[in-house]
Amino acid sequence: QAQAVESGGGLVQPGGSLRLSCTAPGSIFSSYVTGWYRQAPGVQRELIAHITSNGSPNYADSVKGRFTISLDNAKNTMYLQMNGLKPEDTAVYYCHYHGYWGRGTQVTVSS
C-alpha cells in the first residue's frame, strides 16, 4: 500500500503560484501515465500534465501556459510549477510517479 509523497499544496490568492513536488518509494509497473492529476468535487480525476514516452511535457488545455511539469533525475523528484492560479484550479492534486499514486494535496485558490 505504499504511496508516493507529495508536498507544496496550500491556500493561495488568484494569480499566485505554488510548486508541488512528488517522490516515490520505489518503482512498480502501472498502466497510468506518469504525471499530475487533479480532482475537484463532483468531477472525475483529470490528467493535467504528463511526460510523454518521448520525454516531452504535455498539458491539458485548462492549464497550458500556466503550469510546468519537470523531473529532477538527480533528486528523483517530479515537480509541478503552477503560476497564474485561478479559482477553478481549486482541487486535490495527485501525482503518479514510478507507478505509485500520491495521497493527494489540496490546492485552494481563493481571494
Side-chain angles (χ1 to χ4, degrees), residues 17-83:
S17 297
L18 287 172
R19 189 179 73 163
L20 308 182
S21 62
C22 176
T23 60
S27 182
I28 58 174
F29 172 78
S30 174
S31 61
Y32 288 96
V33 173
T34 294
W36 291 92
Y37 300 70
R38 69 185 182 188
Q39 186 168 21
V43 301
Q44 292 188 324
R45 190 171 299 185
E46 174 192 22
L47 176 66
I48 58 169
H50 72 279
I51 305 296
T52 70
S53 59
N54 182 249
S56 300
N58 189 267
Y59 303 96
D61 289 342
S62 57
V63 307
K64 189 175 298 183
R66 300 186 296 120
F67 291 10
T68 303
I69 185 172
S70 62
L71 300 173
D72 187 329
N73 292 327
K75 296 182 178 180
N76 197 33
T77 302
M78 181 171 67
Y79 300 95
L80 184 68
Q81 178 67 46
M82 303 185 293
N83 298 326

Side-chain angles (χ1 to χ4, degrees), residues 90-102:
T90 296
V92 178
Y93 284 70
Y94 301 87
C95 66
H96 189 75
Y97 188 45
H98 289 323
Y100 292 90
W101 283 106

